[in-house]
Amino acid sequence: ILDDPDLKDIDPTVLKHCHAAAATCILEAGKQKADISAISTCLEDCKLDKERIEQFCTEYEKNRDALEILLGSIGRSPLHITDVSWRLEYQIKNNQLHKTYQPSYLVTLNVENSDSGSHPDVSFSCTMEQLQDLVGKLKDAAKSLERATQM
Amino acid sequence: KLNIGVDNIQHGVEGLTYLLTESSKLMISEIDFQDSIHVLGFSDELNKSLLQLYLDNRKEIRSILGELAPRLPSYHSLEWRLDVQLASRSLRQQIKPAVTMKLHLNQNENQTAQVLQTDPATLLHLIQQLEQALGEMKTNHCRRIVRNMK
């Protein structure tokens, strides 16, 4: 904003105040999920004229969804799983034991941290029975999600 | 009580240990075992006892040896919980469903628990991917390999 040629005639301090005020107003409106009438009323109380209020509200409406998504994504949460990769192997022998002949799965859960954006993935091995157990439990979770949405 | 020197007993025990662990590790057949110990020149009765000792303890020795192999953390269990986020410091009036899970893993006798979260769409994706993984063992390709590797 400080580099904008249209605004170079205005005192930079005033500009900063305006910017801060506008930003605060927008964020507060977004946080409270205020509708247009509430915003208009608030701006009227601040003695803004009709034309300016209308302009502000039109711009706000245009960006409302993006604003809500942005605000909703701020905040802490446990590590978030984004994807899974798996590998199936058949073990034949190791240096301690020959002729093992066991299938085993290696599962990696790709994980994202809301703050730093990266985190070592969670990897583990499991037998077929264990993987069946895991999938069974995930399916239970999905089923109860479905039931919850129908309530 | 046996009236033999300590060194001899130690060597005896070590020899016996080596014989049993190597045989169990390689999973050799009865005949191979008998042929192997025949060269030691022991009595027939002793050979028979050694063979019996091998067969009786083979399974247990193998399961102990199996624990020594290099291992990644292995799955133990999973707990899950359905959450709906209603509000946060930065946004009120939300409805954000999420599944929170606690994954229990075993690593070398330590149990670790990790808390993870995912959204409904990713959960369905996870289920689909892992079901595909389970299905792989039943394909002809895998079946053929398992059959031919015995």
Side-chain angles (χ1 to χ4, degrees):
Chain A
I1 297 196
L2 293 173
D3 295 332
D4 194 318
D6 290 336
L7 301 170
K8 72 173 189 290
D9 292 329
I10 309 177
D11 176 15
T13 325
V14 173
L15 216 49
K16 272 198 193 153
H17 278 162
C18 293
H19 183 254
T24 314
C25 181
I26 294 171
L27 287 176
E28 206 41 46
K31 174 166 45 165
Q32 302 294 341
K33 287 219 175 169
D35 54 24
I36 292 292
S37 57
I39 302 177
S40 310
T41 319
C42 176
L43 292 176
E44 268 168 32
D45 290 342
C46 298
K47 312 272 201 314
L48 252 69
D49 58 66
K50 262 240 156 30
E51 197 189 301
R52 288 201 181 144
I53 295 182
E54 235 181 85
Q55 238 178 5
F56 185 87
C57 289
T58 320
E59 280 307 305
Y60 182 80
E61 264 309 286
K62 268 203 272 181
N63 295 301
R64 171 201 278 269
D65 287 339
L67 180 66
E68 268 177 32
I69 293 175
L70 181 63
L71 287 174
S73 67
I74 301 172
R76 294 193 186 282
S77 73
L79 298 169
H80 193 96
I81 303 177
T82 51
D83 202 356
V84 65
S85 11
W86 56 266
R87 186 174 89 192
L88 171 59
E89 46 187 35
Y90 195 63
Q91 288 176 12
I92 314 176
K93 62 162 79 164
N94 55 62
N95 68 328
Q96 306 287 357
L97 199 56
H98 292 204
K99 302 194 189 169
T100 42
Y101 300 138
Q102 267 262 358
S104 105
Y105 286 95
L106 177 60
V107 177
T108 301
L109 298 170
N110 303 109
V111 161
E112 229 175 54
N113 206 338
S114 53
D115 320 322
S116 54
S118 77
H119 188 272
D121 292 331
V122 178
S123 292
F124 58 89
S125 69
C126 56
T127 65
M128 192 150 172
E129 292 76 30
Q130 288 169 331
L131 188 59
Q132 276 167 342
D133 179 69
L134 175 61
V135 174
K137 296 208 167 100
L138 291 177
K139 280 167 117 165
D140 286 340
K143 260 191 227 137
S144 79
L145 248 179
E146 220 186 290
R147 256 181 271 136
T149 57
Q150 286 163 358
M151 283 201 294
Chain B
K1 270 187 287 198
L2 291 169
N3 242 349
I4 319 173
V6 174
D7 280 345
N8 280 339
I9 299 204
Q10 184 169 343
H11 288 155
V13 172
E14 281 170 3
L16 207 55
T17 313
Y18 182 76
L19 175 66
L20 289 174
T21 45
E22 277 305 295
S23 314
S24 304
K25 165 170 147 181
L26 299 166
M27 193 72 173
I28 59 179
S29 64
E30 281 187 38
I31 305 183
D32 287 338
F33 186 84
Q34 278 170 332
D35 288 343
S36 310
I37 58 178
H38 192 70
V39 286
L40 298 168
F42 293 143
S43 69
D44 271 341
E45 209 181 294
L46 189 56
N47 287 346
K48 253 205 208 126
S49 332
L50 284 173
L51 178 62
Q52 201 52 47
L53 197 62
Y54 168 58
L55 292 174
D56 287 341
N57 292 303
R58 171 161 71 175
K59 202 163 172 198
E60 197 180 331
I61 296 176
R62 279 180 71 80
S63 75
I64 296 174
L65 287 175
E67 314 255 316
L68 297 171
R71 289 214 289 205
L72 291 151
S74 69
Y75 173 78
H76 184 257
S77 64
L78 181 84
E79 301 174 70
W80 58 268
R81 182 179 89 185
L82 213 49
D83 289 335
V84 179
Q85 180 166 312
L86 300 173
S88 70
R89 181 176 167 181
S90 31
L91 186 62
R92 315 280 193 260
Q93 298 177 38
Q94 299 177 34
I95 300 183
K96 203 161 148 190
V99 179
T100 308
M101 303 184 272
K102 203 169 187 187
L103 181 64
H104 294 272
L105 299 175
N106 290 329
Q107 167 104 48
N108 300 336
E109 280 137 39
N110 303 331
Q111 265 217 21
T112 62
Q114 183 138 31
V115 179
L116 302 163
Q117 200 180 62
T118 187
D119 52 87
T122 312
L123 176 66
L124 294 176
H125 171 68
L126 293 182
I127 294 176
Q128 186 208 35
Q129 287 294 310
L130 293 178
E131 278 188 322
Q132 268 182 15
L134 279 173
E136 272 307 302
M137 268 314 281
K138 303 200 182 105
T139 59
N140 284 332
H141 177 74
C142 290
R143 281 208 174 117
R144 221 179 300 135
I145 293 186
V146 170
R147 248 198 322 258
N148 289 330
M149 289 242 231
K150 284 281 157 172

